Amino acid sequence: MGSVEPQYQSLLPTLDSHTRITHLSSQAIEEFLQQRTVPLRWWPRLVAWESRLLWLLSWASIIVSLFNFMLSFVTQMFSGHLGAVELAGASIANVGIQGLAYGIMLGMASAVQTACGQAYGAKRYSAMGVICQRAIVLHLGAAVLLTFLYWFSGSVFVAMGQSTAIAEQGQIFARGLIPQIYAFAICCPLQRFLQAQNIVNPLACNAVGVFFVHVFLSWLVIYKLDYGLLGAALTLSLSWWLLVILNGLYIVLSPKCKETWTGLSISAFQDIWPYFKLTAASAVMLCLEIWYNQGMVLISGLLPNPTISLDSISVCMNYWNWDIEFMLGLAAATSVRVSNELGAGHPKVAKFSVIVVNGTAIIISTIFSVIVLCFRVELSKLFTSDSEVIEAISNLTPLLAISVFLNGVQPILSGVAIGSGWQAVVAYVNLVTYYIIGLPIGCVLGFKTNLGVAGIWWGIIIGVVFQTLTLIILTSRTNWDAEVEKAARRLNESAREGLESLPNP
């Protein structure tokens, strides 16, 4: 093999053993990857090493993401059996109001993922609790503002061109979700705080447990107590508060958080502006992405025969959201891996993690696309027995399959951006590709051709393609050594505990 540098040679005996490679530290792998040439036979073992770490985080993150989403999914399924108008009202409230709030809260919480992830990688544990509390303060402020939108949502729906009947049902559902906003405001930062520490198993257990409780309560409230759409919404709000209570109790009581959570601190209200800038950039980045898909659903309600159009695209969006939530779980694990490794000063491992997770995501998305095409009719019957709606959904599933495949890369690259602190840059990318390119094309195809709702969906696909290509270019041109230096600079520029790990947006 020729001459080998001493630090490279010291790793050879370890990497020759399949049983011991899993025990190597990130520092050892970083030293190994820094060499000019890595023998080909070791790449499968390195991929296995990274995949193991990734899936230890991912499986629980995916469960959390999926089961949190399925709370709304189950509620919408129960609402659909109340009638077509009730389903349309619940759909538009879920997409136009709940989706808006969740996008804001989830986007703001990605700042917790960046800041706490890099702080954890750099072993600056005491800053993490203050960061989480500061995030909750900002989230609650956003929740207060969103309350007015929820309460007057009926007028908003009518102003957007929705029918009076759909707007009325949507407002009933949205008002029942007002308590949920405040649960979002606390739960999202708590989840990201735990994920940044690689504490994901308790989150998964809580998510699964609350989901089954929610299914029972939804059945009881809608079918037995006959509380209708308002009862369905209030049940969903209650389930999210159960998540807040369970996650909060774990953080306060678990010995695993004793170094990162040292109790409430007045520092959460001090020097809040630098963190607000990162939070705002994070919220804009993710909201532009979430609102793009949801905005297309709202636009479909303006087409001829809006009930069929809205029902068909919202059902397809629900299945796409399943895939998105799966990939968001994988992306959350990716952002934790990247932020931890950058904080620890391991640029090669961070880059390698990005490569491995993208390859994994593409394989998974291909499988999901095939499933969608094979079971197009069966999937639609879970939501409705209306033959016209079932046919409309079946006609859209090829476009759904394309979107699912594209979703194999885009959320993962967004996770890389969150882990690296690029939220502001990606926000501009989303603005251009989604709203300047994709949205106008979708409107033209939907309203000026005979494609209808399919034309709107083609606009979604085109916007995602341009956004994905842009993120691929940005990621491929990244200087990971420079990213480590930026992370170290962010951690050392401030002497204030709680701000020391904050990246600048």
Side-chain angles (χ1 to χ4, degrees):
M1 287 176 49
S3 61
V4 182
E5 296 181 22
Q7 63 176 352
Y8 182 76
Q9 190 171 9
S10 66
L11 293 172
L12 299 186
T14 306
L15 288 177
D16 279 338
S17 170
H18 287 282
T19 59
R20 294 188 61 191
I21 190 171
T22 57
H23 301 299
L24 287 176
S25 66
S26 291
Q27 180 62 38
I29 297 297
E30 176 69 23
E31 293 172 2
F32 183 67
L33 292 174
Q34 283 176 353
Q35 309 312 309
R36 288 190 296 270
T37 303
V38 176
L40 184 61
R41 69 178 183 276
W42 283 338
W43 282 112
R45 289 180 241 175
L46 292 171
V47 170
W49 177 86
E50 176 59 39
S51 296
R52 174 181 172 274
L53 291 179
L54 187 64
W55 282 107
L56 284 174
L57 283 171
S58 293
W59 79 267
S61 297
I62 290 168
I63 287 176
V64 171
S65 187
L66 282 174
F67 277 85
N68 286 351
F69 163 72
M70 285 172 66
L71 296 177
S72 295
F73 184 81
V74 166
T75 299
Q76 193 162 334
M77 285 180 62
F78 277 106
S79 301
H81 290 282
L82 294 172
V85 176
E86 286 81 359
L87 174 60
S91 298
I92 199 170
N94 266 329
V95 171
I97 301 297
Q98 185 193 35
L100 168 73
Y102 190 60
I104 290 174
M105 297 299 177
L106 200 62
M108 292 174 68
S110 74
V112 181
Q113 216 160 318
T114 304
C116 285
Q118 293 185 0
Y120 187 77
K123 299 183 177 4
R124 308 251 181 129
Y125 302 129
S126 58
M128 297 177 66
V130 176
I131 292 169
C132 182
Q133 293 173 52
R134 187 170 289 141
I136 291 174
V137 170
L138 292 175
H139 278 67
L140 288 173
V144 172
L145 297 177
L146 286 168
T147 301
F148 295 98
L149 177 62
Y150 274 63
W151 188 258
F152 298 105
S153 56
S155 300
V156 175
F157 294 145
V158 171
M160 294 169 60
Q162 303 300 324
S163 69
T164 303
I166 293 176
E168 288 177 352
Q169 295 300 316
Q171 178 172 272
I172 291 172
F173 193 81
R175 287 182 175 179
L177 294 179
I178 288 177
Q180 185 197 44
I181 318 171
Y182 296 89
F184 280 163
I186 302 174
C187 192
C188 290
L190 293 184
Q191 287 181 343
R192 295 303 183 266
F193 171 76
L194 288 171
Q195 286 175 332
Q197 303 171 66
N198 302 328
I199 300 174
V200 286
N201 292 353
L203 286 174
C205 292
N206 292 343
V208 173
V210 169
F211 169 75
F212 285 111
V213 171
H214 178 69
V215 172
F216 170 74
L217 291 177
S218 297
W219 170 81
L220 180 66
V221 166
I222 294 176
Y223 283 104
K224 296 301 179 181
L225 301 179
D226 196 26
Y227 285 160
L229 211 54
L230 180 60
L234 289 172
T235 302
L236 182 57
S237 295
L238 174 62
S239 296
W240 271 93
W241 272 105
L242 290 176
L243 280 174
V244 171
I245 293 169
L246 291 174
N247 293 339
L249 285 175
Y250 181 86
I251 290 173
V252 173
L253 300 177
S254 173
K256 291 184 178 180
C257 298
K258 65 180 180 180
E259 291 186 83
T260 56
W261 184 270
T262 55
L264 299 176
S265 172
I266 193 65
S267 299
F269 297 92
Q270 299 171 352
D271 300 302
I272 207 167
W273 178 246
Y275 186 80
F276 173 78
K277 290 191 292 182
L278 176 63
T279 298
S282 301
V284 171
M285 170 193 150
L286 196 58
C287 286
L288 287 175
E289 187 172 312
I290 293 175
W291 296 345
Y292 176 62
N293 297 335
Q294 294 168 341
M296 292 299 196
V297 177
L298 296 175
I299 290 171
S300 68
L302 305 177
L303 292 168
N305 198 352
T307 301
I308 298 298
S309 299
L310 191 59
D311 284 353
S312 61
I313 196 171
S314 64
V315 169
C316 285
M317 279 291 183
N318 266 289
Y319 284 113
W320 190 18
N321 284 335
W322 273 39
D323 178 67
I324 288 175
E325 295 299 330
F326 185 98
M327 291 303 171
L328 283 177
L330 198 58
T334 303
S335 67
V336 171
R337 288 286 300 125
V338 171
S339 61
N340 285 175
E341 297 300 344
L342 290 178
H346 301 152
K348 300 296 183 182
V349 177
K351 180 180 179 180
F352 184 60
S353 180
V354 172
I355 295 171
V356 171
V357 73
N358 274 290
T360 303
I362 290 172
I363 294 172
I364 293 172
S365 289
T366 302
I367 295 171
F368 284 175
S369 297
V370 173
I371 292 173
V372 166
L373 291 174
C374 291
F375 298 98
R376 59 170 71 183
V377 176
E378 289 78 4
L379 293 175
S380 62
K381 288 182 177 178
L382 288 175
F383 277 90
T384 182
S385 56
D386 190 310
S387 58
E388 193 173 357
V389 176
I390 290 174
E391 182 181 359
I393 294 171
S394 298
N395 292 335
L396 286 177
T397 48
L399 299 181
L400 174 61
I402 295 173
S403 297
V404 166
F405 178 77
L406 291 173
N407 202 46
V409 177
Q410 184 271 330
I412 306 304
L413 295 177
S414 293
V416 174
I418 291 170
S420 304
W422 305 338
Q423 286 94 325
V425 174
V426 180
Y428 286 114
V429 172
N430 290 349
L431 178 64
V432 173
T433 57
Y434 288 161
Y435 295 89
I436 297 179
I437 298 175
L439 182 61
I441 291 175
C443 291
V444 170
L445 294 177
F447 292 95
K448 299 300 182 181
T449 71
N450 59 359
L451 290 174
V453 69
I456 292 175
W457 199 306
W458 273 115
I460 295 176
I461 291 173
I462 291 169
V464 172
V465 167
F466 276 98
Q467 193 249 21
T468 302
L469 290 174
T470 306
L471 290 182
I472 289 173
I473 294 171
L474 287 175
T475 305
S476 64
R477 297 182 63 183
T478 297
N479 184 331
W480 293 99
D481 292 306
E483 292 300 319
V484 167
E485 292 175 5
K486 290 178 185 177
R489 193 161 54 247
R490 293 163 187 151
L491 287 164
N492 293 320
E493 276 179 352
S494 175
R496 291 183 181 274
E497 185 178 75
L499 281 179
E500 55 189 333
S501 62
L502 292 178
N504 295 318

